[in-house]
Amino acid sequence: MCQHQPPCPSADSADREAAHLVAHHPEQGWSLLCNGVLLFEDTGELLPDGQVIAPRRPLDAERVVTAA
């Protein structure tokens, strides 16, 4: 699938997110890498074999409490 030199990491390698972007759709919250991995803005991933990688950041991490 990947034509880059050196080749991008495969979808099953630990550094799979280092692959080049093929498509980026921030308005929809996802990007496609050349190794077939779908990255989602919540840090979740969908691998080409259908395996789901759960988001790594807590959903409440962006909440900031400010004093009035």
Side-chain angles (χ1 to χ4, degrees):
M1 182 183 254
C2 177
Q3 302 298 316
H4 298 106
Q5 290 300 324
C8 291
S10 66
D12 59 352
S13 66
D15 60 344
R16 64 182 154 258
E17 294 173 11
H20 287 87
L21 282 173
V22 173
H24 182 60
H25 295 278
E27 72 283 359
Q28 296 176 357
W30 63 271
S31 298
L32 175 64
L33 303 181
C34 73
N35 57 7
V37 173
L38 276 172
L39 293 177
F40 296 97
E41 71 179 19
D42 68 355
T43 69
E45 300 174 16
L46 180 61
L47 303 185
D49 66 1
Q51 181 182 359
V52 174
I53 306 297
R56 291 181 302 280
R57 69 177 170 107
L59 295 177
D60 293 332
E62 295 181 4
R63 288 188 185 180
V64 178
V65 178
T66 57

